[in-house]
Amino acid sequence: MSHLSPSELSILLVEPSDTQRKIIISRLQQEGVHAISTAASLAEARESLLRHKPDLVASAMHYADGDALELLDWVKGNREYQDVQFMLVSSEWRQEQLEIFRQSGVVAILPKPFSKDHLGKALNATIDLLSHDELDLSHYDVQDLRVLVVDDSRMARNHIRRTISNLGMRQIVEAADGAEAIALMQEQMFDLVITDYNMPSVDGLALTQFIRNQSQQSHIPILMVSSEANEAHLSNVAQAGVNALCDKPFEPQWVKKILYTLLEDQH
């Protein structure tokens, strides 16, 4: 296992406010991060990324010449930066504004102002995504596990793939929605399904119901990844037979614990 420390992290901070930049830099330094470059605009952020690839981009929501979503799309759409993690730091509280970031596979969404705890968790999640910490299972070779990842967001699928690849999983098949997942499950066997809740046509609930009631793989463990806070929806999902629920954005160490429990409990 290789594991980084905060002092080894390289961070690009994109924040138009001088005051906020100073506050966030100070907080990062208190956590042991010292390789910090800064940008005040979308153009400066792109220039900085072209000069040097950081481990993590920590970005405000809005700049004079664009916003965090434009920068996130640029980073995630460029193959060279696929493994750069992205964290939003924003005073935005409206769920509909934050939802697209949750769905895109950001490593964390920090409020303004954020606490030491918030920042520590976000940095740990980044370190976990950059490290390799293989699952040690009694009954499986983790590299032989056949995993089906179902999410209508390509960026979210990439984020999940990266997280579970770091746990040692190599046989990963992707589906863009529940309908595609059902077709795949009718053709091949899997050991684990990781699915989003909100998807067009066939959502995570309908997929779970199909697996439990109509498929030849009715006992397969299902981990649902959701930003859905509606308790009635989550209750329906649990009753349908989901084994575990995980928030978006999720913390890799939490995912590791869930998967360890799910896969060990099969025996």
Side-chain angles (χ1 to χ4, degrees):
M1 167 186 165
S2 60
H3 218 271
L4 299 169
S5 68
S7 63
E8 295 173 275
L9 282 178
S10 164
I11 294 181
L12 169 62
L13 171 62
V14 189
E15 169 58 67
S17 159
D18 286 343
T19 303
Q20 286 294 324
R21 270 203 310 278
K22 287 173 184 171
I23 291 169
I24 296 170
I25 288 170
S26 173
R27 293 289 193 86
L28 287 168
Q29 289 173 340
Q30 287 169 22
E31 293 296 318
V33 181
H34 297 287
I36 307 166
S37 51
T38 62
S41 66
L42 182 61
E44 283 182 23
R46 285 175 175 165
E47 285 173 20
S48 179
L49 282 158
L50 290 169
R51 286 195 307 272
H52 168 73
K53 186 171 85 169
D55 298 310
L56 172 68
V57 174
S59 173
M61 178 75 91
H62 300 290
Y63 339 117
D65 61 344
D67 59 30
L69 193 56
E70 288 178 76
L71 181 58
L72 177 61
D73 286 342
W74 188 85
V75 170
K76 297 296 185 182
N78 189 322
R79 188 174 293 277
E80 189 179 340
Y81 302 110
Q82 292 283 301
D83 55 348
V84 173
Q85 301 307 315
F86 200 99
M87 174 170 77
L88 183 69
V89 185
S90 173
S91 53
E92 179 61 69
W93 55 268
R94 290 170 295 172
Q95 292 306 311
E96 64 272 19
Q97 296 296 313
L98 297 175
E99 181 66 15
I100 192 160
F101 290 94
R102 288 197 179 91
Q103 296 292 347
S104 68
V106 296
V107 71
I109 299 175
L110 292 192
K112 278 183 181 176
F114 55 81
S115 68
K116 178 180 172 65
D117 220 29
H118 285 137
L119 182 58
K121 281 186 176 179
L123 294 176
N124 284 337
T126 302
I127 288 168
D128 289 335
L129 282 163
L130 296 169
S131 304
H132 299 278
D133 191 3
E134 194 165 293
L135 266 180
D136 185 13
L137 301 170
S138 308
H139 308 286
Y140 295 99
D141 182 336
V142 69
Q143 295 189 12
D144 293 337
L145 283 171
R146 299 159 299 180
V147 185
L148 177 60
V149 173
V150 191
D151 200 304
D152 56 314
S153 162
R154 178 182 54 79
M155 288 192 285
R157 291 199 306 274
N158 287 345
H159 183 67
I160 294 169
R161 175 184 279 273
R162 168 127 189 149
T163 302
I164 63 176
S165 293
N166 283 353
L167 297 177
M169 298 178 190
R170 298 288 176 265
Q171 300 192 46
I172 304 166
V173 175
E174 296 181 17
D177 57 31
E180 191 178 328
I182 287 170
L184 284 164
M185 293 192 75
Q186 289 170 331
E187 294 170 2
Q188 53 189 294
M189 301 296 287
F190 294 95
D191 300 301
L192 171 68
V193 173
I194 302 176
T195 181
D196 187 23
Y197 176 82
N198 286 309
M199 295 182 289
S201 70
V202 178
D203 65 11
L205 176 59
L207 173 59
T208 301
Q209 289 168 334
F210 167 82
I211 292 170
R212 294 294 180 239
N213 302 318
Q214 295 170 257
S215 80
Q216 300 298 308
Q217 306 179 58
S218 60
H219 298 297
I220 190 171
I222 302 172
L223 168 60
M224 185 165 286
V225 183
S226 175
S227 56
E228 181 61 65
N230 185 307
E231 286 189 17
H233 286 176
L234 297 182
S235 174
N236 289 339
V237 163
Q239 288 173 18
V242 165
N243 298 86
L245 281 162
C246 202
D247 289 337
K248 281 185 176 180
F250 56 76
E251 296 170 33
Q253 279 301 316
W254 178 234
V255 172
K256 183 183 179 185
K257 286 176 186 171
I258 289 174
L259 292 180
Y260 182 83
T261 302
L262 279 185
L263 295 166
E264 289 293 88
D265 283 354
Q266 294 302 299
H267 292 266

